[in-house]
Amino acid sequence: MLVWLVGAPPSAAAAEEVPPNIVILYADDLGYGDLGCQGHPAIRTPRLDRMAAEGMRFSDCYSAGEVCTPSRAALLTGRYPVRSGMCHDVRRVLHRDSRGHLPAAEVTLAEALRERGYASACIGKWHLGNFALEPAGHPHRHGFDYFFGLPHSNDMDSTPAAPHDAVGRLEQDPRWWNLSLWRQDAEVERPTDQAALTRRTIDEAIGFVAAHEHAPFLLYVPFTFPHVPLFASAEFRGRSRHGIYGDVVEELDAGVGRLLDAIADRGLDGRTLVVFSSDNGPWLMMGRQGGSAGALRDGKGSTWEGGMRVPLIARWPGRVPAGSVHRGVVSTMDLFPTALALAGVRPPRGVAIDGVDLAPALFANRPVDRESFFFYRGTRLFAVRSGRWKAHLVTQPAYNEPRATPHEPPLLFDLETDCGEALDVAAAHPDVVARLRALARAQEAACPPAPSQLGNVRR
Ligand code: MG
């Protein structure tokens, strides 16, 4: 029998008799087009392809952030980053000198599921607070029982030996980097061997599964890669047909396979929802070291489709229909209310949640309850999608363009026929433009940006 810990059960939730394990695998800067099952012509990802064949692929999933920090805040809180202040128009993400962090008042997925007895781990790149400077930013302070990994991106701790353009160099030198690796509250290694990071991340994740196979768990694995600088282990380096970027993605794919095998070997497949996604689009500025958004326009940092539409694969044998593709608009923010509903946990009281329950899509391939999705660059609302239509009120390319361009009337694209956002059809559909503009204005009025945490910097 279910026991509701707070108040009455959520009316629409189909909570499970035994709360399922939730595993979130989260690549960094992996583009929409970078997996075999997403159409990449050279990178081989047999394990993620198989995960999709055994589960569901989502064609129209959005991250709610265009760069690392806001996207993670949205994933773990189910809220647009403007609500938590985890976005900024200039600094964009948390840096090594940042004192700001995810505010204590935000309820993370780990905190919410703890009510129902979930054990939780964050294994990988955190990037929601530099806890070396400010302990209140540590994953422990945001509900996670266990942490192993990096405080922020792998390009944020360079050595004096690093050339100015170290991040953009195709041939990376390990001596340029001085990464700090943590286990729980202690730094355990510095510098960290980046070529070993993917393997060690997976080893840690498997260890966590083995230690918690009898209790419901939340396992959040935000991979360091394929964020630049790129490093692959000797086993994978030089093996792909797509340079070091391909090597790194193929190693990540093999690691996902090892973790899925470990879950299956323990008999946990029938009560474990595993999802795989990415925090934002490909870092195109990096050229051959950046990924690909496939047919989508632009990449990381922009509100064009390539910046925020990301792969999403969900697998739960016996529950998620195998080999299915869901084509409605969903977001990685939706995982928060979805996991809570499955666990029978009420949403946090008095907190606006922007994600919606994915259950109709996940279990029956039916539309979820979403009228619109909003695209923010930093704190500013740039675009809105509703159904097949997307209107851009403001645009700014990811790079090579310092200024934002407002559009009145907004640009309008029909994503059913033009996912590459090439043909502006605003003139032919003034009624649609008016409706989407009204949705955007209402969102701006209802959701003013909270004070940014990203401007709080060590002086
Ligand atoms: Mg990223």
Side-chain angles (χ1 to χ4, degrees):
M1 201 183 109
L2 290 175
V3 177
W4 301 96
L5 295 177
V6 186
S11 56
E16 301 294 311
E17 288 293 330
V18 178
N21 304 313
I22 308 288
V23 178
I24 300 175
L25 309 173
Y26 203 53
D28 195 345
D29 295 0
L30 181 86
Y32 186 80
D34 283 332
L35 304 178
C37 59
Q38 298 277 113
H40 199 283
I43 301 176
R44 292 162 300 193
T45 53
R47 294 308 307 259
L48 285 160
D49 300 353
R50 190 170 124 194
M51 184 178 160
E54 293 170 349
M56 180 175 279
R57 207 164 55 75
F58 293 76
S59 65
D60 292 53
C61 174
Y62 294 101
S63 173
E66 80 294 13
V67 286
C68 297
T69 295
S71 63
R72 283 146 216 274
L75 171 79
L76 291 183
T77 64
R79 288 150 59 81
Y80 286 111
V82 284
R83 293 195 193 272
S84 58
M86 294 300 281
C87 52
H88 193 279
D89 294 332
V90 178
R91 287 180 68 88
R92 308 295 294 276
V93 297
L94 292 168
H95 291 263
R96 190 166 55 168
D97 61 353
S98 295
R99 283 197 178 282
H101 52 82
L102 189 66
E106 293 295 320
V107 179
T108 68
L109 188 53
E111 287 169 320
L113 293 180
R114 176 177 275 174
E115 277 186 30
R116 193 76 206 279
Y118 275 70
S120 62
C122 170
I123 297 173
K125 166 183 141 175
W126 175 239
H127 216 176
L128 290 174
N130 181 4
F131 41 77
L133 275 184
E134 182 49 66
H138 193 282
H140 280 169
R141 305 283 280 271
H142 297 279
F144 287 95
D145 303 321
Y146 184 72
F147 173 69
F148 175 83
L150 310 177
H152 41 227
S153 298
N154 65 336
D155 65 342
M156 289 180 168
D157 291 300
S158 55
T159 67
H164 179 69
D165 63 345
V167 170
R169 296 272 182 109
L170 194 57
E171 286 307 319
Q172 296 292 344
D173 186 331
R175 291 170 298 183
W176 296 345
W177 307 102
N178 187 29
L179 264 53
S180 168
L181 184 70
W182 291 60
R183 185 187 304 283
Q184 303 288 51
D185 294 305
E187 183 182 76
V188 290
E189 236 176 87
R190 189 178 192 125
T192 301
D193 176 7
Q194 294 210 56
L197 265 180
T198 297
R199 178 182 56 74
R200 292 176 71 182
T201 299
I202 293 295
D203 288 346
E204 288 278 334
I206 291 173
F208 179 81
V209 170
H212 297 86
E213 59 183 304
H214 300 298
F217 60 79
L218 166 67
L219 172 58
Y220 169 50
V221 185
F223 290 99
T224 304
F225 298 112
H227 192 285
V228 176
L230 299 172
F231 289 93
S233 69
E235 189 186 341
F236 288 89
R237 193 172 170 85
R239 297 293 172 89
S240 80
R241 293 194 294 145
H242 198 67
I244 180 68
Y245 187 86
D247 299 343
V248 165
V249 173
E250 292 188 3
E251 178 159 24
L252 198 147
D253 175 76
V256 169
R258 274 207 301 133
L259 178 58
L260 290 174
D261 288 344
I263 290 168
D265 290 347
R266 287 179 168 74
L268 300 177
D269 265 355
R271 52 186 169 102
T272 303
L273 170 65
V274 183
V275 299
F276 176 91
S277 192
S278 179
D279 65 338
N280 49 251
W283 203 356
L284 298 179
M285 199 171 88
M286 292 299 151
R288 288 171 59 202
Q289 293 181 76
S292 163
L296 307 179
R297 182 166 172 175
D298 213 326
K300 170 181 179 174
S302 92
T303 49
W304 295 103
E305 290 290 290
M308 295 175 69
R309 203 196 288 202
V310 289
L312 176 65
I313 302 169
R315 178 183 182 274
W316 185 354
R319 296 299 308 274
V320 174
S324 51
V325 178
H326 182 75
R327 301 199 177 277
V329 176
V330 303
S331 167
T332 48
M333 279 190 304
D334 299 341
L335 296 171
F336 181 94
T338 304
L340 266 58
L342 289 170
V345 173
R346 273 182 67 93
R349 212 181 287 275
V351 177
I353 300 295
D354 299 302
V356 301
D357 188 354
L358 285 178
L362 268 181
F363 305 130
N365 208 351
R366 291 155 51 94
V368 300
D369 179 23
R370 168 175 285 108
E371 184 187 15
S372 51
F373 180 84
F374 300 100
F375 302 74
Y376 289 86
R377 179 183 172 113
T379 66
R380 297 177 63 193
L381 196 163
F382 270 30
V384 52
R385 177 170 178 181
S386 182
R388 68 195 296 168
W389 305 105
K390 180 175 173 185
H392 292 264
L393 290 81
V394 185
T395 56
Q396 183 172 3
Y399 60 100
N400 286 341
E401 173 56 64
R403 275 184 301 277
T405 305
H407 301 281
E408 185 49 55
L411 310 178
L412 183 71
F413 298 94
D414 177 0
L415 296 178
E416 283 288 315
T417 59
D418 178 24
C419 69
E421 298 172 287
L423 182 65
D424 174 17
V425 294
H429 300 281
D431 52 331
V432 176
V433 170
R435 185 171 73 82
L436 267 62
R437 185 202 285 112
L439 285 170
R441 295 304 177 220
Q443 169 73 6
E444 287 176 319
C447 189
S452 176
Q453 303 297 315
L454 278 51
N456 181 359
V457 173
R458 177 174 59 179
R459 301 288 172 201

